mmCIF file of all heavy atoms in Angstrom:
data_model
loop_
_atom_site.group_PDB
_atom_site.id
_atom_site.type_symbol
_atom_site.label_atom_id
_atom_site.label_comp_id
_atom_site.label_asym_id
_atom_site.label_seq_id
_atom_site.Cartn_x
_atom_site.Cartn_y
_atom_site.Cartn_z
ATOM 1 N N TYR A 14 -6.474 2.573 -3.985
ATOM 2 C CA TYR A 14 -5.591 2.526 -2.751
ATOM 3 C C TYR A 14 -5.660 3.889 -2.114
ATOM 4 O O TYR A 14 -5.053 4.813 -2.554
ATOM 5 C CB TYR A 14 -4.125 2.185 -3.273
ATOM 6 C CG TYR A 14 -4.104 0.910 -4.054
ATOM 7 C CD1 TYR A 14 -4.117 0.872 -5.403
ATOM 8 C CD2 TYR A 14 -3.920 -0.309 -3.370
ATOM 9 C CE1 TYR A 14 -4.002 -0.271 -6.139
ATOM 10 C CE2 TYR A 14 -3.893 -1.524 -4.067
ATOM 11 C CZ TYR A 14 -3.909 -1.478 -5.457
ATOM 12 O OH TYR A 14 -3.877 -2.690 -6.096
ATOM 13 N N TRP A 15 -6.469 3.942 -1.037
ATOM 14 C CA TRP A 15 -6.632 5.270 -0.375
ATOM 15 C C TRP A 15 -6.078 5.213 1.055
ATOM 16 O O TRP A 15 -5.934 4.145 1.693
ATOM 17 C CB TRP A 15 -8.102 5.651 -0.368
ATOM 18 C CG TRP A 15 -8.973 4.749 0.530
ATOM 19 C CD1 TRP A 15 -9.679 3.712 0.209
ATOM 20 C CD2 TRP A 15 -9.144 4.881 1.928
ATOM 21 N NE1 TRP A 15 -10.338 3.157 1.277
ATOM 22 C CE2 TRP A 15 -9.971 3.884 2.424
ATOM 23 C CE3 TRP A 15 -8.704 5.804 2.915
ATOM 24 C CZ2 TRP A 15 -10.425 3.729 3.684
ATOM 25 C CZ3 TRP A 15 -9.100 5.637 4.223
ATOM 26 C CH2 TRP A 15 -9.893 4.615 4.628
ATOM 27 N N PHE A 16 -5.640 6.392 1.473
ATOM 28 C CA PHE A 16 -5.148 6.573 2.821
ATOM 29 C C PHE A 16 -5.543 7.915 3.371
ATOM 30 O O PHE A 16 -5.772 8.837 2.557
ATOM 31 C CB PHE A 16 -3.662 6.367 2.920
ATOM 32 C CG PHE A 16 -2.839 7.261 2.040
ATOM 33 C CD1 PHE A 16 -2.200 8.390 2.592
ATOM 34 C CD2 PHE A 16 -2.608 7.023 0.654
ATOM 35 C CE1 PHE A 16 -1.440 9.241 1.816
ATOM 36 C CE2 PHE A 16 -1.975 7.850 -0.090
ATOM 37 C CZ PHE A 16 -1.280 8.926 0.482
ATOM 38 N N ALA A 17 -5.624 8.046 4.674
ATOM 39 C CA ALA A 17 -6.051 9.278 5.289
ATOM 40 C C ALA A 17 -4.878 9.991 5.852
ATOM 41 O O ALA A 17 -4.003 9.451 6.455
ATOM 42 C CB ALA A 17 -7.032 8.930 6.424
ATOM 43 N N VAL A 18 -4.916 11.313 5.614
ATOM 44 C CA VAL A 18 -3.948 12.299 6.183
ATOM 45 C C VAL A 18 -4.750 13.333 6.903
ATOM 46 O O VAL A 18 -5.342 14.229 6.224
ATOM 47 C CB VAL A 18 -3.031 12.896 5.129
ATOM 48 C CG1 VAL A 18 -2.093 13.872 5.744
ATOM 49 C CG2 VAL A 18 -2.356 11.843 4.251
ATOM 50 N N GLY A 19 -4.930 13.170 8.187
ATOM 51 C CA GLY A 19 -5.837 14.038 8.966
ATOM 52 C C GLY A 19 -7.210 13.778 8.461
ATOM 53 O O GLY A 19 -7.656 12.594 8.391
ATOM 54 N N LYS A 20 -7.971 14.760 8.019
ATOM 55 C CA LYS A 20 -9.321 14.578 7.558
ATOM 56 C C LYS A 20 -9.362 14.396 6.051
ATOM 57 O O LYS A 20 -10.435 14.239 5.488
ATOM 58 C CB LYS A 20 -10.124 15.836 7.932
ATOM 59 C CG LYS A 20 -10.385 15.932 9.410
ATOM 60 C CD LYS A 20 -11.264 17.117 9.770
ATOM 61 C CE LYS A 20 -11.451 17.195 11.275
ATOM 62 N NZ LYS A 20 -12.298 18.280 11.698
ATOM 63 N N LYS A 21 -8.233 14.485 5.340
ATOM 64 C CA LYS A 21 -8.181 14.339 3.883
ATOM 65 C C LYS A 21 -7.821 12.938 3.516
ATOM 66 O O LYS A 21 -7.098 12.183 4.120
ATOM 67 C CB LYS A 21 -7.059 15.230 3.365
ATOM 68 C CG LYS A 21 -6.993 15.219 1.844
ATOM 69 C CD LYS A 21 -5.951 16.257 1.376
ATOM 70 C CE LYS A 21 -5.892 16.417 -0.117
ATOM 71 N NZ LYS A 21 -7.064 16.909 -0.740
ATOM 72 N N THR A 22 -8.521 12.457 2.455
ATOM 73 C CA THR A 22 -8.281 11.112 1.898
ATOM 74 C C THR A 22 -7.601 11.276 0.549
ATOM 75 O O THR A 22 -7.960 12.057 -0.257
ATOM 76 C CB THR A 22 -9.630 10.395 1.659
ATOM 77 O OG1 THR A 22 -10.221 10.198 2.971
ATOM 78 C CG2 THR A 22 -9.386 8.996 1.094
ATOM 79 N N ILE A 23 -6.550 10.556 0.349
ATOM 80 C CA ILE A 23 -5.710 10.555 -0.910
ATOM 81 C C ILE A 23 -5.933 9.171 -1.456
ATOM 82 O O ILE A 23 -5.719 8.157 -0.798
ATOM 83 C CB ILE A 23 -4.252 10.907 -0.643
ATOM 84 C CG1 ILE A 23 -4.140 12.238 -0.040
ATOM 85 C CG2 ILE A 23 -3.477 10.755 -1.927
ATOM 86 C CD1 ILE A 23 -2.737 12.661 0.332
ATOM 87 N N THR A 24 -6.312 9.147 -2.748
ATOM 88 C CA THR A 24 -6.538 7.841 -3.424
ATOM 89 C C THR A 24 -5.472 7.675 -4.577
ATOM 90 O O THR A 24 -5.443 8.571 -5.452
ATOM 91 C CB THR A 24 -7.921 7.703 -3.965
ATOM 92 O OG1 THR A 24 -8.825 7.860 -2.915
ATOM 93 C CG2 THR A 24 -8.192 6.453 -4.648
ATOM 94 N N LEU A 37 2.080 15.951 -0.286
ATOM 95 C CA LEU A 37 2.452 15.212 0.964
ATOM 96 C C LEU A 37 3.911 14.987 1.039
ATOM 97 O O LEU A 37 4.546 15.218 2.123
ATOM 98 C CB LEU A 37 1.639 13.939 1.025
ATOM 99 C CG LEU A 37 1.698 13.214 2.355
ATOM 100 C CD1 LEU A 37 1.075 13.999 3.503
ATOM 101 C CD2 LEU A 37 1.093 11.837 2.252
ATOM 102 N N THR A 47 5.177 3.771 -0.407
ATOM 103 C CA THR A 47 4.676 2.392 -0.704
ATOM 104 C C THR A 47 3.389 2.211 0.000
ATOM 105 O O THR A 47 3.142 2.651 1.067
ATOM 106 C CB THR A 47 5.700 1.375 -0.394
ATOM 107 O OG1 THR A 47 5.299 0.134 -0.903
ATOM 108 C CG2 THR A 47 5.940 1.250 1.098
ATOM 109 N N PHE A 48 2.485 1.536 -0.696
ATOM 110 C CA PHE A 48 1.229 1.183 -0.125
ATOM 111 C C PHE A 48 1.276 -0.348 0.084
ATOM 112 O O PHE A 48 1.464 -1.141 -0.840
ATOM 113 C CB PHE A 48 0.143 1.500 -1.113
ATOM 114 C CG PHE A 48 -1.316 1.531 -0.450
ATOM 115 C CD1 PHE A 48 -1.810 2.677 0.126
ATOM 116 C CD2 PHE A 48 -2.127 0.439 -0.555
ATOM 117 C CE1 PHE A 48 -3.054 2.668 0.707
ATOM 118 C CE2 PHE A 48 -3.317 0.413 0.049
ATOM 119 C CZ PHE A 48 -3.810 1.566 0.675
ATOM 120 N N ILE A 49 1.146 -0.724 1.328
ATOM 121 C CA ILE A 49 1.465 -2.147 1.712
ATOM 122 C C ILE A 49 0.454 -2.659 2.752
ATOM 123 O O ILE A 49 -0.040 -1.871 3.535
ATOM 124 C CB ILE A 49 2.878 -2.275 2.215
ATOM 125 C CG1 ILE A 49 3.317 -3.732 2.304
ATOM 126 C CG2 ILE A 49 3.115 -1.496 3.483
ATOM 127 C CD1 ILE A 49 4.862 -3.918 2.502
ATOM 128 N N THR A 50 0.253 -3.941 2.745
ATOM 129 C CA THR A 50 -0.620 -4.545 3.681
ATOM 130 C C THR A 50 -0.055 -5.895 4.078
ATOM 131 O O THR A 50 0.849 -6.439 3.411
ATOM 132 C CB THR A 50 -2.047 -4.817 3.044
ATOM 133 O OG1 THR A 50 -2.931 -5.337 4.092
ATOM 134 C CG2 THR A 50 -2.029 -5.760 1.902
ATOM 135 N N ASN A 68 -1.844 -7.334 10.337
ATOM 136 C CA ASN A 68 -1.553 -5.853 10.101
ATOM 137 C C ASN A 68 -1.006 -5.245 11.384
ATOM 138 O O ASN A 68 -0.212 -4.291 11.270
ATOM 139 C CB ASN A 68 -2.811 -5.193 9.598
ATOM 140 C CG ASN A 68 -2.718 -4.873 8.143
ATOM 141 O OD1 ASN A 68 -1.855 -5.333 7.411
ATOM 142 N ND2 ASN A 68 -3.566 -4.035 7.681
ATOM 143 N N GLU A 69 -1.484 -5.622 12.535
ATOM 144 C CA GLU A 69 -0.825 -5.055 13.760
ATOM 145 C C GLU A 69 0.628 -5.436 13.893
ATOM 146 O O GLU A 69 1.443 -4.589 14.342
ATOM 147 C CB GLU A 69 -1.670 -5.662 15.007
ATOM 148 C CG GLU A 69 -3.053 -5.049 15.193
ATOM 149 C CD GLU A 69 -3.817 -5.635 16.226
ATOM 150 O OE1 GLU A 69 -3.498 -6.722 16.726
ATOM 151 O OE2 GLU A 69 -4.948 -5.098 16.552
ATOM 152 N N LEU A 71 2.609 -5.854 11.305
ATOM 153 C CA LEU A 71 3.329 -4.971 10.331
ATOM 154 C C LEU A 71 3.401 -3.549 10.890
ATOM 155 O O LEU A 71 4.465 -2.964 10.775
ATOM 156 C CB LEU A 71 2.527 -5.010 9.013
ATOM 157 C CG LEU A 71 3.057 -4.047 7.914
ATOM 158 C CD1 LEU A 71 4.486 -4.298 7.564
ATOM 159 C CD2 LEU A 71 2.166 -4.177 6.682
ATOM 160 N N ALA A 72 2.356 -3.078 11.483
ATOM 161 C CA ALA A 72 2.344 -1.765 12.096
ATOM 162 C C ALA A 72 3.423 -1.648 13.136
ATOM 163 O O ALA A 72 4.125 -0.629 13.210
ATOM 164 C CB ALA A 72 0.989 -1.460 12.690
ATOM 165 N N THR A 73 3.672 -2.705 13.938
ATOM 166 C CA THR A 73 4.662 -2.663 14.926
ATOM 167 C C THR A 73 6.084 -2.575 14.336
ATOM 168 O O THR A 73 6.933 -1.783 14.774
ATOM 169 C CB THR A 73 4.586 -3.944 15.832
ATOM 170 O OG1 THR A 73 3.350 -3.934 16.538
ATOM 171 C CG2 THR A 73 5.739 -3.969 16.868
ATOM 172 N N LEU A 75 6.734 -1.255 11.374
ATOM 173 C CA LEU A 75 6.835 0.097 10.799
ATOM 174 C C LEU A 75 7.147 1.163 11.864
ATOM 175 O O LEU A 75 7.868 2.070 11.643
ATOM 176 C CB LEU A 75 5.535 0.470 10.032
ATOM 177 C CG LEU A 75 5.327 -0.400 8.772
ATOM 178 C CD1 LEU A 75 3.971 -0.114 8.207
ATOM 179 C CD2 LEU A 75 6.430 -0.152 7.736
ATOM 180 N N GLU A 76 6.499 1.009 13.023
ATOM 181 C CA GLU A 76 6.691 1.983 14.129
ATOM 182 C C GLU A 76 8.143 1.973 14.640
ATOM 183 O O GLU A 76 8.614 3.000 15.188
ATOM 184 C CB GLU A 76 5.748 1.619 15.328
ATOM 185 C CG GLU A 76 4.314 1.965 15.042
ATOM 186 C CD GLU A 76 3.357 1.415 16.032
ATOM 187 O OE1 GLU A 76 3.823 0.740 17.043
ATOM 188 O OE2 GLU A 76 2.094 1.528 15.854
ATOM 189 N N HIS A 82 7.092 7.961 7.449
ATOM 190 C CA HIS A 82 5.853 8.474 7.923
ATOM 191 C C HIS A 82 4.839 7.591 7.399
ATOM 192 O O HIS A 82 4.757 7.167 6.251
ATOM 193 C CB HIS A 82 5.621 9.911 7.341
ATOM 194 C CG HIS A 82 6.676 10.855 7.693
ATOM 195 N ND1 HIS A 82 6.767 11.529 8.885
ATOM 196 C CD2 HIS A 82 7.786 11.245 7.035
ATOM 197 C CE1 HIS A 82 7.842 12.323 8.927
ATOM 198 N NE2 HIS A 82 8.467 12.124 7.869
ATOM 199 N N CYS A 83 3.887 7.093 8.293
ATOM 200 C CA CYS A 83 2.951 6.081 8.021
ATOM 201 C C CYS A 83 1.519 6.565 8.205
ATOM 202 O O CYS A 83 1.199 7.247 9.176
ATOM 203 C CB CYS A 83 3.245 4.924 8.960
ATOM 204 S SG CYS A 83 2.446 3.366 8.580
ATOM 205 N N PHE A 84 0.625 6.205 7.215
ATOM 206 C CA PHE A 84 -0.725 6.605 7.251
ATOM 207 C C PHE A 84 -1.626 5.400 6.996
ATOM 208 O O PHE A 84 -1.256 4.521 6.205
ATOM 209 C CB PHE A 84 -0.999 7.667 6.145
ATOM 210 C CG PHE A 84 -0.084 8.829 6.249
ATOM 211 C CD1 PHE A 84 1.051 8.899 5.557
ATOM 212 C CD2 PHE A 84 -0.416 9.905 7.032
ATOM 213 C CE1 PHE A 84 1.937 10.019 5.651
ATOM 214 C CE2 PHE A 84 0.393 11.044 7.158
ATOM 215 C CZ PHE A 84 1.586 11.029 6.464
ATOM 216 N N SER A 85 -2.682 5.331 7.691
ATOM 217 C CA SER A 85 -3.591 4.184 7.558
ATOM 218 C C SER A 85 -4.565 4.379 6.353
ATOM 219 O O SER A 85 -4.972 5.458 6.023
ATOM 220 C CB SER A 85 -4.441 3.982 8.798
ATOM 221 O OG SER A 85 -3.627 3.612 9.848
ATOM 222 N N GLY A 86 -4.893 3.224 5.687
ATOM 223 C CA GLY A 86 -5.827 3.335 4.570
ATOM 224 C C GLY A 86 -6.344 1.906 4.275
ATOM 225 O O GLY A 86 -6.291 0.955 5.071
ATOM 226 N N GLU A 87 -6.874 1.820 3.063
ATOM 227 C CA GLU A 87 -7.433 0.518 2.595
ATOM 228 C C GLU A 87 -7.256 0.463 1.069
ATOM 229 O O GLU A 87 -7.216 1.463 0.342
ATOM 230 C CB GLU A 87 -8.904 0.462 2.885
ATOM 231 C CG GLU A 87 -9.267 0.156 4.337
ATOM 232 C CD GLU A 87 -10.758 -0.065 4.529
ATOM 233 O OE1 GLU A 87 -11.573 0.164 3.532
ATOM 234 O OE2 GLU A 87 -11.064 -0.513 5.607
ATOM 235 N N GLY A 88 -7.144 -0.798 0.601
ATOM 236 C CA GLY A 88 -7.201 -1.110 -0.774
ATOM 237 C C GLY A 88 -8.586 -1.725 -1.075
ATOM 238 O O GLY A 88 -9.027 -2.607 -0.358
ATOM 239 N N GLU A 98 -8.998 -4.216 2.083
ATOM 240 C CA GLU A 98 -7.856 -4.660 2.906
ATOM 241 C C GLU A 98 -7.190 -3.437 3.665
ATOM 242 O O GLU A 98 -6.794 -2.453 2.979
ATOM 243 C CB GLU A 98 -6.773 -5.267 2.013
ATOM 244 C CG GLU A 98 -7.198 -6.564 1.481
ATOM 245 C CD GLU A 98 -6.099 -7.273 0.659
ATOM 246 O OE1 GLU A 98 -5.147 -6.636 0.237
ATOM 247 O OE2 GLU A 98 -6.221 -8.440 0.409
ATOM 248 N N ALA A 99 -7.196 -3.497 4.933
ATOM 249 C CA ALA A 99 -6.551 -2.480 5.706
ATOM 250 C C ALA A 99 -5.033 -2.432 5.250
ATOM 251 O O ALA A 99 -4.387 -3.525 5.108
ATOM 252 C CB ALA A 99 -6.646 -2.828 7.228
ATOM 253 N N SER A 100 -4.557 -1.257 5.112
ATOM 254 C CA SER A 100 -3.187 -1.051 4.539
ATOM 255 C C SER A 100 -2.555 0.142 5.130
ATOM 256 O O SER A 100 -3.134 0.908 5.858
ATOM 257 C CB SER A 100 -3.313 -0.905 2.994
ATOM 258 O OG SER A 100 -4.005 -2.011 2.418
ATOM 259 N N PHE A 101 -1.278 0.354 4.678
ATOM 260 C CA PHE A 101 -0.496 1.486 5.194
ATOM 261 C C PHE A 101 0.165 2.172 3.949
ATOM 262 O O PHE A 101 0.699 1.501 3.079
ATOM 263 C CB PHE A 101 0.622 1.068 6.129
ATOM 264 C CG PHE A 101 0.056 0.362 7.333
ATOM 265 C CD1 PHE A 101 0.141 -0.987 7.394
ATOM 266 C CD2 PHE A 101 -0.458 1.029 8.399
ATOM 267 C CE1 PHE A 101 -0.360 -1.722 8.449
ATOM 268 C CE2 PHE A 101 -0.968 0.365 9.517
ATOM 269 C CZ PHE A 101 -0.939 -0.969 9.594
ATOM 270 N N MET A 102 0.132 3.524 3.921
ATOM 271 C CA MET A 102 0.949 4.259 3.012
ATOM 272 C C MET A 102 2.152 4.652 3.826
ATOM 273 O O MET A 102 2.024 5.310 4.881
ATOM 274 C CB MET A 102 0.214 5.545 2.484
ATOM 275 C CG MET A 102 1.147 6.548 1.866
ATOM 276 S SD MET A 102 2.302 5.964 0.643
ATOM 277 C CE MET A 102 1.217 5.517 -0.729
ATOM 278 N N VAL A 103 3.322 4.290 3.305
ATOM 279 C CA VAL A 103 4.539 4.613 4.104
ATOM 280 C C VAL A 103 5.465 5.494 3.212
ATOM 281 O O VAL A 103 5.869 5.075 2.174
ATOM 282 C CB VAL A 103 5.303 3.326 4.471
ATOM 283 C CG1 VAL A 103 6.461 3.625 5.393
ATOM 284 C CG2 VAL A 103 4.432 2.285 5.184
ATOM 285 N N LEU A 104 5.657 6.713 3.708
ATOM 286 C CA LEU A 104 6.578 7.599 3.025
ATOM 287 C C LEU A 104 7.966 7.376 3.537
ATOM 288 O O LEU A 104 8.206 7.208 4.711
ATOM 289 C CB LEU A 104 6.225 9.077 3.302
ATOM 290 C CG LEU A 104 4.849 9.586 2.817
ATOM 291 C CD1 LEU A 104 4.741 11.084 3.231
ATOM 292 C CD2 LEU A 104 4.641 9.394 1.335
#
Side-chain angles (χ1 to χ4, degrees):
Y14 302 94
W15 68 265
F16 59 100
V18 180
K20 294 182 180 181
K21 183 175 183 66
T22 298
I23 299 174
T24 302
L37 188 66
T47 189
F48 195 88
I49 190 168
T50 186
N68 254 14
E69 286 171 351
L71 176 56
T73 298
L75 293 170
E76 288 168 4
H82 303 277
C83 194
F84 305 92
S85 295
E87 286 185 348
E98 291 184 341
S100 304
F101 303 98
M102 164 49 68
V103 187
L104 297 182

